[in-house]
Amino acid sequence: TREHLVMFICRHCPYVQHVQTELARLGNEYTKRDVGVVAISANDVVGYPDDAPDKLKAVAQHLGFAFPFCYDESQAVAKAYTAACTPDFFVFDSARTLVYRGQLDDSRPGNGKPITGRDVRAALDAVLADTPVTGDQRPSLGCNIKWKRGNEPSYAR
C-alpha cells in the first residue's frame, strides 16, 4: 500500500499556469518518495482545444512531469472525485482514505504570495509520517472544470 496524490489540472487555466512549475516539482519530489502521483484533465476539448491530449502531453514534457498526466474524456473520473475546478488536489493515505482535499497553497495569480505547495506538502508529509492530516483544509480555487454540454454533474450546477 502507498499514499496517493491526485491532481485535477489542465493546460489553459491561468490558476494552473501560475503553479505549474511547482506542480512538476512537487509531483516529481513525492514520486521519488514512493507516493503515487497522477494529474488528470477532464475538460471538454471541443470548447477548450488547448486541453486536448496532445497539448497535455506537450506541457507535461516541457515541465518534466515524472508522473502520468491523463485525459478523462468521459469525465467519469472527475465526477467520481467530485472534482470542481483546476487545480483541485486529493491526498489519500496508505489505506486509500481521502485525508486531504483542497488548495495547493495560498498563492493565486496576482496576489503576490509565494508558490510553495505548502498545504499539499503538509498533507503528504503527514501521511508519509503516519500522522493525522490537519482538519484545517481550504478549498482549492481556480477555473471550473469545463463539462461537456449535458454532462454537468448535479454538484456543479
Side-chain angles (χ1 to χ4, degrees), residues 22-151:
E22 176 60 17
L23 298 181
R25 185 173 27 252
L26 182 142
N28 295 349
E29 176 185 328
Y30 283 91
T31 297
K32 291 176 185 168
R33 295 178 65 188
D34 204 30
V35 172
V37 177
V38 65
I40 301 169
S41 178
N43 282 352
D44 176 18
V45 299
V46 173
Y48 297 86
D50 276 351
D51 294 330
D54 61 326
K55 304 274 179 86
L56 301 179
K57 180 179 179 180
V59 77
Q61 289 174 334
H62 172 74
L63 294 169
F65 285 4
F67 50 88
F69 190 3
C70 304
Y71 176 56
D72 178 17
E73 183 175 8
S74 71
Q75 301 181 316
V77 175
K79 286 180 180 180
Y81 277 83
T82 65
C85 64
T86 57
D88 209 352
F89 302 91
F90 298 78
V91 175
F92 295 87
D93 65 15
S94 60
R96 296 196 178 154
T97 301
L98 178 65
V99 295
Y100 179 83
R101 190 220 178 143
Q103 68 177 9
L104 178 68
D105 57 32
D106 290 328
S107 185
R108 306 285 185 269
N111 77 358
K113 294 186 179 181
I115 303 165
T116 63
R118 181 193 69 207
D119 295 35
V120 170
R121 286 175 181 280
L124 288 168
D125 290 343
V127 296
L128 287 168
D130 201 25
T131 60
V133 174
T134 179
D136 182 22
Q137 300 180 12
R138 297 186 59 201
S140 194
L141 181 65
C143 299
N144 291 336
I145 288 181
K146 308 309 183 206
W147 301 103
K148 295 177 181 180
R149 186 177 191 96
N151 199 34

